[in-house]
Amino acid sequence: MLFSNFFVLAEEKTQPATDYVAQLEKLEEFLIVISFIACVLITLAFVYFAFRFRRKESREEGKATQHHNLPLEIVWSFIPFVIFMVSFAWGWLVYKDVRTPPKDSLEIQVYGQKWNWEFIYKNGRKTTNELYVPVDRPVKLIMTSRDVIHSFYIPTFKIKQDVVPGTYTFLWFKANHKGEFQVFCTEFCGAGHSSMGAKLNVLSLADWENWLKTDPYKGLSLVEIGQKAFQGRCTACHKPTQERLIGPGLAGLYNTKRDLEDGPVVLADENYLRESILNPGAKISKGYPNQMTPFAGLLSEEELSGLIEYIKSLK
């Protein structure tokens, strides 16, 4: 690579993360080289004409001339046109490739919500803020939002797509090597936007198939299940201490009196905690905005019971 290695180690460039990245980098380098050559030629011409046609005497006056060189004008118009059309055709082919997923792509459902990502696989397994895919296999992400517009962005793969409520958008990629890659939301979506990240984990096919079959909650107590669900879904808004974030801190919350925005005081028992998770707008604590996404239909009974037990365990 000609210019990319200024900022990226050479060994990291030997195998791009995806074939699309390799194609895009070749196009970028072509445009950089062409732009550099054009810049040099224009600068040299500017310097030459500045000296060649400079005024030699203080009283010398320029003479108006009307002279056209048709072949020269055709050449300097035709060459940029050819370069432009080559760039356009090359860019269109790269774009067409990244917008046309292979028919045998592995499909994964992606749901964005304030402020986390949920991934649902074909066998029904769900993960939050952790996406697992096999290496060397095309993966198609079918995405939608449960609240506002988000944007799913994998910088290393150079792909990004808005995630819109009420409709589906998609991305596809084929990872060339195993590893962990960062995912960001790049559409401002509220107070917790900066913490709306996820990890893309690329595994070997055998490891991915084994992971897909495992039960993430096997052998865990309800409190441990709740802690795992809390770490995956709730940390953008709540802390397991008394420190306030977007929502209240959860330590010591259970079985205390809560002042509501509409006046009454309620006891934070199991029913209150359950309702606050599934339908947070039903009873809004005084001094807090109504920004939490309802989790009705998003949690299994096991996860919901685990979250309640985990909150009860926080002192």
Side-chain angles (χ1 to χ4, degrees), residues 91-103:
W92 181 83
L93 291 173
V94 173
Y95 175 79
K96 180 176 177 291
D97 180 66
V98 80
R99 298 304 300 174
T100 309
K103 293 182 179 180

Side-chain angles (χ1 to χ4, degrees), residues 248 253 256-268 272-273 275-276 279-288:
L253 174 66
T256 60
K257 299 291 183 65
R258 305 294 297 173
D259 293 324
L260 303 183
E261 283 289 351
D262 56 4
V265 176
V266 297
L267 181 67
Y272 171 83
L273 295 177
E275 184 179 43
S276 296
N279 185 20
K283 294 183 175 69
I284 303 172
S285 294
K286 193 171 184 178
Y288 292 93

Side-chain angles (χ1 to χ4, degrees), residues 25-26 37 48 96 115 138 173 190 214 222 241 248-249 274 290 296:
E25 287 180 347
K26 289 178 182 178
I37 293 173
Y48 170 76
K96 180 176 177 291
W115 282 279
F173 60 86
T214 58
L222 270 181
T241 64
R274 182 185 180 90
N290 182 20

Side-chain angles (χ1 to χ4, degrees), residues 135-147:
V135 70
D136 292 327
R137 179 167 178 186
V139 176
K140 180 181 178 181
L141 305 180
I142 302 172
M143 307 184 293
T144 190
S145 171
R146 293 187 173 118
D147 39 45

Side-chain angles (χ1 to χ4, degrees), residues 23 29 38 77 133 139 178 192 196 226 235 237 245-246 253 257:
Q23 296 173 29
E29 289 176 359
S77 299
V133 302
V139 176
K178 297 183 290 184
M196 190 171 172
T235 53
C237 298
L245 285 180
I246 297 167
L253 174 66
K257 299 291 183 65

Side-chain angles (χ1 to χ4, degrees), residues 30-295:
F30 170 77
L31 293 174
I32 290 172
V33 170
I34 291 298
S35 299
F36 178 76
I37 293 173
C39 178
V40 170
L41 291 177
I42 292 172
T43 301
L44 291 176
F46 174 81
V47 173
Y48 170 76
F49 288 125
F51 279 91
R52 173 67 178 80
F53 298 103
R54 72 187 187 278
R55 187 171 63 178
K56 298 180 177 60
E57 298 180 5
S58 59
R59 294 184 180 181
E60 183 179 358
E61 296 182 359
K63 297 180 180 179
T65 60
Q66 292 185 348
H67 178 71
H68 297 280
N69 188 323
L70 183 60
L72 180 61
E73 292 175 358
I74 292 175
V75 167
W76 73 37
S77 299
F78 181 71
I79 291 177
F81 173 75
V82 170
I83 294 172
F84 172 80
M85 293 306 298
V86 168
S87 303
F88 172 80
W90 192 346
W92 181 83
L93 291 173
V94 173
Y95 175 79
K96 180 176 177 291
D97 180 66
V98 80
R99 298 304 300 174
T100 309
K103 293 182 179 180
D104 61 343
S105 296
L106 169 69
E107 294 184 351
I108 299 174
Q109 301 287 329
V110 180
Y111 294 91
Q113 65 184 63
K114 298 186 290 188
W115 282 279
N116 56 66
W117 299 101
E118 183 178 52
F119 307 99
I120 303 180
Y121 305 82
K122 284 291 188 180
N123 70 342
R125 181 160 184 186
K126 301 178 182 179
T127 56
T128 303
N129 294 334
E130 292 279 347
L131 173 60
Y132 293 85
V133 302
V135 70
D136 292 327
R137 179 167 178 186
V139 176
K140 180 181 178 181
L141 305 180
I142 302 172
M143 307 184 293
T144 190
S145 171
R146 293 187 173 118
D147 39 45
V148 299
I149 298 177
H150 302 284
S151 188
F152 192 89
Y153 176 45
I154 310 175
T156 309
F157 291 6
K158 298 189 178 183
I159 53 175
K160 181 171 74 74
Q161 177 63 53
D162 281 357
V163 182
V164 183
T167 189
Y168 289 108
T169 55
F170 77 91
L171 278 178
W172 85 271
F173 60 86
K174 186 182 75 171
N176 287 337
H177 55 82
K178 297 183 290 184
E180 282 190 1
F181 305 94
Q182 185 64 49
V183 178
F184 294 103
C185 175
T186 54
E187 185 80 34
F188 182 71
C189 53
H193 166 69
S194 61
S195 62
M196 190 171 172
K199 286 287 185 182
L200 168 62
N201 300 281
V202 181
L203 311 176
S204 68
L205 181 58
D207 288 344
W208 181 79
E209 289 177 343
N210 289 333
W211 170 86
L212 202 60
K213 297 173 183 176
T214 58
D215 180 359
Y217 298 135
K218 186 177 181 179
L220 299 182
S221 67
L222 270 181
V223 172
E224 290 171 328
I225 291 172
Q227 183 179 23
K228 193 167 185 175
F230 174 83
Q231 290 171 345
R233 298 175 180 269
C234 309
T235 53
C237 298
H238 300 280
K239 282 200 170 185
T241 64
Q242 293 185 350
E243 183 181 349
R244 170 177 177 160
L245 285 180
I246 297 167
L250 301 181
L253 174 66
Y254 174 67
N255 229 19
T256 60
K257 299 291 183 65
R258 305 294 297 173
D259 293 324
L260 303 183
E261 283 289 351
D262 56 4
V265 176
V266 297
L267 181 67
D269 58 8
E270 286 89 347
N271 285 323
Y272 171 83
L273 295 177
R274 182 185 180 90
E275 184 179 43
S276 296
I277 294 170
L278 299 180
N279 185 20
K283 294 183 175 69
I284 303 172
S285 294
K286 193 171 184 178
Y288 292 93
N290 182 20
Q291 291 189 336
M292 180 173 166
T293 300
F295 279 84

